Amino acid sequence: MRGGPDLCGPRTWTWLQDGRWGWGWHDPAWALTACPFHRYFRVILLLLLALTLLLLARFLHSDLELDTPLFGGQAEGPPVTNIMFLKTHKTAGSTVLNILYRFAETHNLSVALPAGSRVHLGYPWLFLARYVEGVGSQQRFNIMCNHLRFNLPQVQKVMPNDTFYFSILRNPVFQLESSFIYYKTYAPAFGGAPSLDAFLASPRTFYNDSRHLRNVYAKNNMWFDFGFDPNAQCEEGYVRARIAEVERRFQLVLIAEHLDESLVLLRRRLRWALDDVVAFRLNSRSARSVARLSPETRERARSWCALDWRLYEHFNRTLWAQLRAELGPRRLRGEVERLRARRRELATLCLQDGGALKNRTQIRDPRLRPYQSGKADILGYNLRPGLDNQTLGVCQRLVMPELQYMARLYALQFPEKPRKNIPFLGA
């Protein structure tokens, strides 16, 4: 009532909260402190303000993550620097190797490199510690990632106890197709077969178990790289026991078909900055050297490489279970997009012709030409001209093929020793 007492102060004709003109308080500040209704309204306003600040902080935090390790549920601490990467063959391992080489160089870490004139760590023989340059001296090693066949007791003689172990797998059908092209002139089983279709139609015609050290690329090659017998029977108890071995030792197994998602999880586990895991595709083939496989050939490949297939199936499921548990779909999409956006930025900065891959004859700088093998046409990059020295160094490391980068690190770590000879660079 107009004539009644005003419990919330003196009123006048004013604009009311319900959107009408009416009889209300001319002193809103007084009303907020004296009127119970307005005290509740003030609490709501403060809650809305707090929510707005929280959302703003989350947005700013996401922006900062471009240059800092991931947060949100992961253990805080310094970046992991003791790392063993089991580089399996024809699985995008060269791209991961480049990531590790760059991290080692940037952070002045020591890499377990092949001794003397070798370019790998004894592959295809089981790894021995003596294959590493400087082992047995006072030299300490942070990163091991060159080609080797896994042999845990010998690896442990080289790497610290707190080493983070990880590896990578690829769909065995496509891994075998890539191996057939790449090792066509090396593996006897492939050399005698006119095509992968012909090989898989009758593999025993071409494959001989007794020559398996040269034929390791022709059957269950990833299983072999983990140190297991590629010619073993695919019996359930045996397979489960070997997979359990891998799970006990390797904290993470990446999947080549989902490399960006894998790198997001790797970055999280290692507590690295975003730029540490950004990479360009290395050691990839031209489309003309990739064979199309019929559904029948694919099924034969899965059957021929049954051990690899079981390994791949298991760790593909494991990767996605870890991604769901640690990140969830929404955050995973956001992190993958940040990774890809940064890769596009670096491609624009570093690469000529929009980052188009080039064949060997088109690559101007011979130091950036990748090794060619078998029937494969391995591609590389040209850098943009006119880059300043600092940017040029960053860009060169991003596109440097693995043999050249291995030789570079060897010269930096062992300046007193003869340089590694990379014969094809002079060809």
Side-chain angles (χ1 to χ4, degrees), residues 57-84:
R58 185 172 181 179
F59 172 78
L60 291 173
H61 172 260
S62 297
D63 209 32
L64 286 170
E65 281 185 337
L66 287 174
D67 297 308
T68 58
L70 290 171
F71 293 84
Q74 81 176 75
E76 294 183 8
V80 175
T81 55
N82 293 331
I83 298 160
M84 192 278 165

Side-chain angles (χ1 to χ4, degrees), residues 14-66:
T14 187
W15 188 256
L16 300 178
Q17 292 180 5
D18 61 3
R20 297 180 295 106
W21 282 96
W23 195 249
W25 298 280
H26 72 278
D27 187 358
W30 189 91
L32 283 172
T33 57
C35 178
F37 172 79
H38 284 84
R39 285 200 298 272
Y40 299 144
F41 183 68
R42 183 173 58 178
V43 170
I44 293 171
L45 284 175
L46 290 173
L47 287 173
L48 288 173
L49 178 61
L51 180 60
T52 301
L53 291 173
L54 181 63
L55 291 173
L56 179 61
R58 185 172 181 179
F59 172 78
L60 291 173
H61 172 260
S62 297
D63 209 32
L64 286 170
E65 281 185 337
L66 287 174

Side-chain angles (χ1 to χ4, degrees), residues 304-320:
W304 176 246
C305 295
L307 296 169
D308 272 1
W309 183 253
R310 288 293 304 276
L311 195 66
Y312 172 79
E313 272 193 316
H314 177 85
F315 284 103
N316 189 31
R317 288 195 302 268
T318 300
L319 174 71
W320 286 102

